[in-house]
Amino acid sequence: MRIGLIILPQRPWSEQADQWRRAEADGYDHLWTYDHLTWDPLEGTPWGATVPTLVAAATVTTRVPLGTWVASPNYRHPVPFARELAGLDDVSGGRAVLGVGAGGTGHDARVLGGPELTPGERAARFEEFVDVLDMVLTGAATTHDGPAYRAVDARTTVACVQRPRLPFVIAANGPRTVRLAVRRGEGWATTGTLRRSEAGTDDAWWDGVARLSDQVDEALAADGRDPATLRRYLSVDAAPTFALVSAGYLEEVVGRAAALGFTDVVAHWPLPGAPVYDAPESVLDDVAALLPALQAVEPAAR
């Protein structure tokens, strides 16, 4: 099992740098930050830029993979974004990871004044976004004329260090996007079928996660893909109870994720007193002591 940590880009870099250094030193397997302009649950709080944060994080870490949790088409175009991703992979020495999803309906979806999209329209745009990203990152030149995006002779002058490109971890909570994750992703990520406010209980949330994991198995079988080639990432803080409320509770969460075949779990750096992820930062000391035992947990075979 690999354990990841999300560090929200809320602090000035002079304060945030130590968070990234500490997380790597504590032994986490991968580190992430959100890709939003603002995030509705923390509306009105300071919010930094995603790729510059990750580039800065690359300069204060040496080992740990660094990624977006998760980027979306809500305010991005795949051509310039591909250039940023290739640059991050270059600066980090081949440690960049693209977590990418369809995008929700919050502020990021409205800020540029575009029309509100249906779930089906967002899924179609997402498929095109991922396909064009892949083409730009792996091809010498890309020309594309689609419903959502156009590209004319788009080129990446500095290639990714990782070949053929940085890995894609595709967020998918439904059948269409699950198929995309199987087709294009090195990893699949999920927050489950229920939002925190909808789940009611942790058990109800876990039931939805189990059903999604079964959908991934079915999609892999239909595609003829070896299940061992797709890593499975679970965003455990989408459940009603914050996973880092205590180190002991995180241990329970990791066990449940492993039993469903997840290879990776991702939790959040605590935000004391905030509406979400509320816990004292001191819990990170307890988690750090437990990490080797959690990393030794074997995911169930799928």
Side-chain angles (χ1 to χ4, degrees), residues 1-3 205-206 209 234 236 243 246-266 290-291 293-302:
M1 180 66 72
R2 302 192 309 184
I3 313 298
W205 182 80
W206 282 102
V209 171
L234 182 60
V236 290
S246 71
Y249 186 69
L250 178 63
E251 185 174 21
E252 178 184 334
V253 164
V254 168
R256 294 186 76 164
L260 294 177
F262 284 91
T263 60
D264 299 72
V265 300
V266 181
L290 191 62
L291 273 179
L294 298 180
Q295 290 158 333
V297 174
E298 289 285 344
R302 299 295 294 186

Coordinates of all heavy atoms in Angstrom, one line a residue, residues 1-3 205-206 209 234 236 243 246-266 290-291 293-302:
M1 N 0.9 -1.2 0.0 CA 0.0 0.0 0.0 C 0.9 1.2 0.0 O 1.9 1.3 0.7 CB -0.9 0.0 1.2 CG -1.8 1.2 1.3 SD -3.1 1.3 0.1 CE -4.2 -0.1 0.6
R2 N 0.5 2.2 -0.8 CA 1.2 3.5 -0.8 C 0.3 4.6 -0.2 O -0.9 4.6 -0.5 CB 1.6 3.9 -2.2 CG 2.5 2.9 -2.9 CD 3.2 3.4 -4.2 NE 2.2 4.0 -5.1 CZ 2.5 4.5 -6.3 NH1 3.8 4.4 -6.7 NH2 1.6 5.0 -7.1
I3 N 0.9 5.5 0.6 CA 0.1 6.5 1.3 C 0.5 7.8 0.7 O 1.7 8.2 0.8 CB 0.3 6.4 2.8 CG1 0.3 5.0 3.3 CG2 -0.7 7.3 3.5 CD1 -1.1 4.3 3.1
W205 N -20.8 5.2 2.4 CA -19.8 5.7 1.5 C -18.9 4.5 1.0 O -18.7 4.4 -0.2 CB -18.9 6.7 2.2 CG -17.9 7.3 1.2 CD1 -18.1 8.3 0.3 CD2 -16.5 7.0 1.2 NE1 -16.9 8.5 -0.4 CE2 -15.9 7.7 0.2 CE3 -15.7 6.1 1.9 CZ2 -14.5 7.6 -0.1 CZ3 -14.4 6.0 1.6 CH2 -13.8 6.8 0.6
W206 N -18.5 3.6 1.9 CA -17.7 2.5 1.5 C -18.4 1.5 0.6 O -17.8 0.9 -0.3 CB -17.2 1.8 2.8 CG -16.0 2.4 3.5 CD1 -16.1 3.2 4.6 CD2 -14.7 2.4 3.1 NE1 -14.8 3.7 4.9 CE2 -13.9 3.2 4.0 CE3 -14.0 1.8 2.0 CZ2 -12.6 3.4 3.9 CZ3 -12.6 2.0 1.9 CH2 -11.9 2.8 2.8
V209 N -18.0 2.9 -2.8 CA -16.7 2.6 -3.3 C -16.5 1.2 -3.8 O -15.9 0.9 -4.8 CB -15.6 3.0 -2.1 CG1 -14.2 2.5 -2.5 CG2 -15.6 4.5 -1.8
L234 N -7.6 5.8 -3.8 CA -8.8 6.2 -3.1 C -8.6 7.5 -2.2 O -7.7 7.5 -1.4 CB -9.2 5.0 -2.1 CG -10.5 5.3 -1.4 CD1 -11.7 5.5 -2.3 CD2 -10.8 4.1 -0.4
V236 N -9.6 9.1 0.5 CA -10.4 8.6 1.7 C -11.1 9.7 2.5 O -12.0 9.4 3.3 CB -9.4 7.8 2.7 CG1 -9.0 6.5 2.0 CG2 -8.2 8.6 3.0
A243 N -10.1 11.0 7.6 CA -9.2 9.9 7.9 C -8.1 10.1 8.9 O -7.6 9.2 9.6 CB -8.6 9.4 6.6
S246 N -7.3 10.5 13.6 CA -6.4 9.9 14.5 C -5.6 8.9 13.7 O -6.1 8.4 12.6 CB -7.0 9.2 15.7 OG -7.7 8.0 15.2
A247 N -4.4 8.6 14.1 CA -3.6 7.6 13.4 C -4.3 6.2 13.4 O -4.2 5.5 12.4 CB -2.2 7.5 14.0
G248 N -4.9 5.9 14.5 CA -5.6 4.6 14.6 C -6.8 4.5 13.6 O -7.0 3.5 13.0
Y249 N -7.5 5.6 13.4 CA -8.6 5.6 12.4 C -8.0 5.5 11.0 O -8.6 4.7 10.2 CB -9.4 6.8 12.5 CG -10.7 6.8 11.7 CD1 -11.7 5.9 11.9 CD2 -10.8 7.6 10.5 CE1 -12.8 5.8 11.1 CE2 -11.9 7.5 9.7 CZ -12.9 6.6 10.0 OH -13.9 6.4 9.1
L250 N -6.9 6.1 10.7 CA -6.3 6.0 9.4 C -5.9 4.5 9.2 O -6.1 4.0 8.1 CB -5.1 6.9 9.3 CG -4.3 6.7 7.9 CD1 -5.2 7.2 6.8 CD2 -3.0 7.6 8.0
E251 N -5.4 3.8 10.2 CA -5.1 2.4 10.1 C -6.3 1.6 9.7 O -6.2 0.7 8.8 CB -4.5 1.9 11.4 CG -4.0 0.5 11.3 CD -3.3 0.1 12.6 OE1 -3.5 0.7 13.6 OE2 -2.5 -0.9 12.5
E252 N -7.4 1.9 10.3 CA -8.7 1.2 9.9 C -9.1 1.5 8.5 O -9.5 0.6 7.7 CB -9.8 1.7 10.8 CG -11.2 1.1 10.5 CD -12.3 1.6 11.4 OE1 -12.0 2.1 12.6 OE2 -13.4 1.6 11.0
V253 N -8.9 2.8 8.1 CA -9.3 3.2 6.7 C -8.4 2.5 5.7 O -8.9 2.0 4.6 CB -9.2 4.7 6.6 CG1 -9.1 5.1 5.1 CG2 -10.3 5.4 7.3
V254 N -7.1 2.4 5.9 CA -6.2 1.7 5.0 C -6.5 0.2 4.9 O -6.5 -0.3 3.8 CB -4.7 1.9 5.5 CG1 -3.8 1.0 4.7 CG2 -4.3 3.4 5.3
G255 N -6.9 -0.4 6.0 CA -7.3 -1.8 5.9 C -8.5 -2.0 5.1 O -8.6 -3.0 4.3
R256 N -9.5 -1.1 5.2 CA -10.7 -1.3 4.4 C -10.4 -1.0 2.9 O -11.0 -1.7 2.0 CB -11.8 -0.3 4.9 CG -12.3 -0.6 6.3 CD -13.5 0.3 6.7 NE -14.7 -0.1 6.0 CZ -15.9 0.3 6.4 NH1 -16.0 1.1 7.5 NH2 -17.0 -0.1 5.8
A257 N -9.6 0.0 2.6 CA -9.2 0.2 1.2 C -8.5 -1.0 0.6 O -8.7 -1.4 -0.5 CB -8.4 1.5 1.1
A258 N -7.5 -1.5 1.4 CA -6.8 -2.7 0.9 C -7.7 -3.9 0.6 O -7.5 -4.6 -0.4 CB -5.7 -3.0 1.9
A259 N -8.7 -4.1 1.4 CA -9.6 -5.2 1.3 C -10.4 -5.1 0.0 O -10.8 -6.1 -0.6 CB -10.6 -5.3 2.4
L260 N -10.6 -3.8 -0.5 CA -11.2 -3.6 -1.8 C -10.3 -3.6 -3.0 O -10.7 -3.3 -4.1 CB -12.0 -2.3 -1.7 CG -13.2 -2.3 -0.8 CD1 -13.9 -0.9 -0.7 CD2 -14.2 -3.3 -1.1
G261 N -9.0 -3.8 -2.8 CA -8.0 -3.9 -3.8 C -7.3 -2.6 -4.2 O -6.6 -2.5 -5.1
F262 N -7.5 -1.5 -3.4 CA -6.9 -0.3 -3.6 C -5.4 -0.4 -3.3 O -5.0 -1.0 -2.3 CB -7.5 0.9 -2.8 CG -8.8 1.3 -3.4 CD1 -10.0 0.8 -3.0 CD2 -8.8 2.3 -4.4 CE1 -11.2 1.2 -3.6 CE2 -10.0 2.7 -5.0 CZ -11.2 2.1 -4.6
T263 N -4.6 0.2 -4.2 CA -3.1 0.1 -4.0 C -2.6 1.4 -3.4 O -1.5 1.4 -2.9 CB -2.4 0.0 -5.4 OG1 -2.8 1.1 -6.2 CG2 -2.9 -1.3 -6.1
D264 N -3.4 2.5 -3.4 CA -3.0 3.8 -2.8 C -4.1 4.4 -2.1 O -5.3 4.4 -2.6 CB -2.5 4.7 -4.0 CG -1.3 4.1 -4.8 OD1 -1.5 3.1 -5.5 OD2 -0.2 4.7 -4.6
V265 N -3.8 5.1 -1.0 CA -4.8 5.9 -0.4 C -4.2 7.3 -0.3 O -3.0 7.5 -0.1 CB -5.3 5.4 1.0 CG1 -5.9 4.0 0.9 CG2 -4.1 5.4 2.0
V266 N -5.1 8.3 -0.3 CA -4.7 9.7 -0.3 C -5.5 10.5 0.7 O -6.7 10.4 0.7 CB -4.8 10.4 -1.7 CG1 -4.4 11.8 -1.7 CG2 -4.1 9.6 -2.8
L290 N 3.4 5.5 12.2 CA 2.7 4.3 11.8 C 2.9 4.0 10.3 O 2.5 2.9 9.8 CB 1.2 4.6 12.1 CG 0.2 3.4 11.9 CD1 0.5 2.3 12.9 CD2 -1.2 3.9 12.2
L291 N 3.4 5.0 9.5 CA 3.5 4.8 8.1 C 4.1 3.5 7.7 O 3.6 2.8 6.7 CB 4.2 6.0 7.4 CG 3.4 7.2 7.1 CD1 4.3 8.3 6.5 CD2 2.3 6.8 6.1
A293 N 4.1 0.6 8.9 CA 3.2 -0.5 9.1 C 2.0 -0.4 8.1 O 1.6 -1.4 7.5 CB 2.6 -0.5 10.5
L294 N 1.6 0.8 7.8 CA 0.5 1.0 6.8 C 1.0 0.6 5.4 O 0.3 0.0 4.6 CB 0.0 2.4 6.8 CG -0.6 2.9 8.1 CD1 -1.0 4.4 7.9 CD2 -1.8 2.1 8.5
Q295 N 2.2 1.0 5.1 CA 2.8 0.7 3.8 C 3.1 -0.8 3.6 O 3.2 -1.3 2.4 CB 4.1 1.5 3.6 CG 3.8 3.0 3.4 CD 5.0 3.9 3.7 OE1 5.9 3.5 4.5 NE2 5.0 5.0 3.1
A296 N 3.1 -1.6 4.7 CA 3.3 -3.0 4.6 C 2.0 -3.8 4.3 O 2.0 -5.0 4.1 CB 4.0 -3.5 5.9
V297 N 0.9 -3.1 4.4 CA -0.4 -3.7 4.1 C -0.5 -4.1 2.7 O -0.2 -3.3 1.8 CB -1.6 -2.8 4.5 CG1 -2.9 -3.4 4.1 CG2 -1.6 -2.5 6.0
E298 N -0.9 -5.4 2.4 CA -1.0 -5.9 1.1 C -2.5 -5.7 0.5 O -3.4 -6.2 1.1 CB -0.7 -7.4 1.0 CG 0.8 -7.7 1.2 CD 1.6 -7.3 0.0 OE1 1.0 -7.2 -1.1 OE2 2.8 -7.2 0.1
P299 N -2.6 -5.0 -0.6 CA -4.0 -4.9 -1.2 C -4.5 -6.2 -1.7 O -3.7 -7.1 -2.2 CB -3.8 -3.9 -2.4 CG -2.5 -3.2 -2.1 CD -1.6 -4.2 -1.3
A300 N -5.8 -6.5 -1.5 CA -6.3 -7.7 -2.0 C -6.3 -7.8 -3.5 O -6.4 -6.8 -4.2 CB -7.8 -7.8 -1.5
A301 N -6.0 -8.9 -4.0 CA -5.9 -9.1 -5.5 C -7.3 -9.0 -6.1 O -8.3 -9.4 -5.5 CB -5.4 -10.5 -5.8
R302 N -7.4 -8.4 -7.3 CA -8.7 -8.2 -7.9 C -8.7 -9.1 -9.2 O -7.7 -9.4 -9.8 CB -8.8 -6.8 -8.4 CG -8.8 -5.8 -7.3 CD -10.0 -5.9 -6.3 NE -11.3 -5.6 -6.9 CZ -12.4 -5.5 -6.3 NH1 -12.5 -5.7 -5.0 NH2 -13.5 -5.2 -6.9

